[in-house]
Amino acid sequence: ASQMTKKDYDNFDLIIGMDGWNLKNILRIIGQDTENKVHLLLDYTAHPRDIADPWYTHNFDETYNDVAEGCEALLASVH
């Protein structure tokens, strides 16, 4: 992992966050998302929502399932 920088917006086609707090911080770093590159992982699923942080929920299985669902949907969207 590395700290996101404003230059990352130019270097990557997609920037994926896990929850609304991530999106808020991403937008704080990059400014505006003029190219619609910033999304929540679960935006690619039939049920867009935040992924709960298991540090707080202690429900690692739910977080794992959400991440797997999001990754599968993201992968399907780029094929």
Side-chain angles (χ1 to χ4, degrees):
S2 62
Q3 179 65 41
M4 184 176 180
T5 67
K6 186 172 180 117
K7 188 168 176 65
D8 289 334
Y9 191 79
D10 296 327
N11 292 335
F12 298 102
D13 295 328
L14 286 174
I15 299 173
I16 304 295
M18 298 297 124
D19 59 30
W21 183 252
N22 287 153
L23 287 186
K24 179 180 175 182
N25 285 317
I26 290 167
L27 293 173
R28 182 183 51 79
I29 292 167
I30 65 168
Q32 293 185 328
D33 180 17
T34 57
E35 298 179 44
N36 196 34
K37 294 180 177 185
V38 180
H39 304 274
L40 289 175
L41 181 60
L42 293 179
D43 284 350
Y44 293 92
T45 70
H47 304 285
R49 61 198 183 278
D50 285 354
I51 293 177
D53 187 336
W55 176 263
Y56 300 105
T57 66
H58 304 287
N59 192 339
F60 289 86
D61 291 335
E62 179 181 0
T63 299
Y64 176 86
N65 291 335
D66 284 350
V67 170
E69 177 186 0
C71 288
E72 289 170 7
L74 174 60
L75 182 60
S77 79
V78 296
H79 270 117

